[in-house]
Amino acid sequence: MPAEDTRLTDAALMREAVALARDNMRGGGRPFGAVVAFEGQVVARGVNEILASHDPTAHAEIQAIRHASRALGRPRLDGCVVYASGHPCPMCMAAMHMCGIARAFYAYSNEDGEPYGLSTAAVYAQMALPPEGQSLPLRALRPDGEDGLYAEWQAAGRP
Ligand SMILES: Nc1nc2[nH]cnc2c(=O)[nH]1
């Protein structure tokens, strides 16, 4: 007999992300939840913890990525899929790109969030501008005599 396929569907995994968001909200947190899955199995879950942890980076997706990375014992999540209750912000999208997430889904759009102050469209708009046009100026500033940090890292053969 062929082995039973125990993979959860995209819809089921997203339902879990939204349930996490709702539980977090009802417990006093912000209404965001996320699930990281691999081949239809939950690797880790996360909820927005910015209020409880005083950590502005503790978005649901970042928390789920952190927990997934710890659960797998490695900093890369190649092939994993993220199910996010809300449209991920640029920080979370960057984190997903950088750790190898293959695909991501969201349930509530930035348009859905806009009337409630839960949209990150304004941050996307800033990120789309050239650095010199952004409201947060980013400029190179290398101390005199500073050189070779990266070459030293490479020479040390560090991962
Ligand atoms: N998708 C998403 N959007 C947010 N905007 C503010 N916090 C969050 C979060 O945790 N997830």
Side-chain angles (χ1 to χ4, degrees):
M1 205 164 65
E4 194 187 340
D5 188 353
T6 59
R7 274 182 289 204
L8 296 168
T9 63
D10 289 333
L13 289 159
M14 181 58 87
R15 256 194 307 277
E16 174 148 6
V18 174
L20 287 166
R22 189 161 274 113
D23 284 353
N24 197 48
M25 172 187 71
R26 289 180 177 166
R30 287 166 66 81
F32 297 105
V35 170
V36 173
F38 185 74
E39 294 183 348
Q41 310 291 345
V42 175
V43 176
R45 301 164 177 85
V47 294
N48 183 297
E49 295 183 74
I50 69 167
L51 299 175
S53 66
H54 307 298
D55 175 358
T57 71
H59 281 194
E61 298 89 328
I62 296 284
Q63 295 301 87
I65 286 169
R66 284 185 177 131
H67 298 150
S69 189
R70 269 185 218 128
L72 296 176
R74 51 183 157 82
R76 294 217 41 98
L77 301 176
D78 294 285
C80 288
V81 180
V82 168
Y83 300 84
S85 65
H87 188 293
C89 77
M91 169 180 72
C92 294
M93 283 305 298
M96 290 185 218
H97 278 285
M98 293 181 75
C99 70
I101 295 291
R103 285 180 296 136
F105 297 93
Y106 63 88
Y108 285 87
S109 68
N110 273 332
E111 289 72 29
D112 293 324
E114 192 67 50
Y116 308 98
L118 296 175
S119 165
T120 54
V123 189
Y124 274 101
Q126 281 294 316
M127 302 303 293
L129 297 172
E132 58 280 8
Q134 294 181 18
S135 60
L136 183 167
L138 173 66
R139 303 210 177 85
L141 179 62
R142 178 97 66 98
D144 286 344
E146 180 56 48
D147 196 17
L149 178 66
Y150 296 164
E152 187 179 327
W153 171 79
Q154 188 180 51
R158 304 271 166 72

